Amino acid sequence: MTHDRIPTAAGRPGWALRLHHADLVFARLAAGSDVPDWAKGARPLSTVAWNEGETSVLAPADVVPHDVDRFGPWRAFEVEGHVDFLLTGVLHGILSPLAAAQIAVTTVSTYRTDWILVPTDHVDQAVNVWRYQGYVVTTDATDGADGSAATTEGGRA
């Protein structure tokens, strides 16, 4: 594939972001650990990564056992809609305003979309920065176990 055929995000006005209110933590398990039962089916997001030195799990704080080494809490912002794997500049565009505001982030990508994780104590600041930049941020009043959520729309600045 030639570079001129790679789609870019430059022509797309701000992405819509959905804030999930569950606190998430990164849990560190021993290298080679199996996926723990508490991480399966967790909402809004659970992910597992392995390497030769550790097994890391991102999961809601309330399901991670208290005796597990953890770091957080974080809140997850889901990029709404499908994000094509070959689309360039998506995370750069979304994260640059936060970097300018000195808000730390980490990201997780799934098959369908990207997730931006912001430390819980910086969530309001991140929402304000994105809205000022023209992004629509939808916030869930709850993240119900049935997947239902009450939402309020954030307007463009």
Side-chain angles (χ1 to χ4, degrees):
M1 172 176 269
T2 63
H3 179 70
D4 61 338
R5 291 190 163 180
I6 297 174
T8 67
R12 181 164 183 172
W15 292 83
L17 303 167
R18 179 178 173 209
L19 170 62
H20 295 270
H21 282 283
D23 282 340
L24 302 173
V25 295
F26 285 96
R28 182 173 50 184
L29 306 177
S33 294
D34 290 330
V35 176
D37 287 339
W38 48 261
K40 297 175 184 175
R43 291 181 185 260
L45 175 67
S46 177
T47 187
V48 180
W50 289 274
N51 65 39
E52 64 183 41
E54 67 179 326
T55 298
S56 295
V57 178
L58 173 67
D62 63 350
V63 302
V64 178
H66 292 286
D67 61 343
V68 172
D69 188 15
R70 60 172 67 204
F71 184 79
W74 302 83
R75 293 276 174 86
F77 290 85
E78 178 182 4
V79 178
E80 295 276 40
H82 178 74
V83 179
D84 188 302
F85 280 111
L86 297 179
L87 190 60
T88 61
V90 174
L91 288 176
H92 174 77
I94 294 171
L95 300 180
S96 291
L98 298 187
Q102 298 185 354
I103 300 172
V105 300
T106 191
T107 64
V108 173
S109 294
T110 60
Y111 191 90
R112 189 184 69 79
T113 195
D114 292 310
W115 298 74
I116 293 89
L117 306 175
V118 174
T120 299
D121 58 349
H122 289 96
V123 166
D124 291 340
Q125 184 184 6
V127 169
N128 289 336
V129 166
W130 277 322
R131 287 182 176 161
Y132 180 80
Q133 293 294 320
Y135 290 86
V136 174
V137 180
T138 303
T139 59
D140 289 347
T142 62
D143 280 328
D146 62 356
S148 65
T151 61
T152 57
E153 279 291 319
R156 291 188 181 266

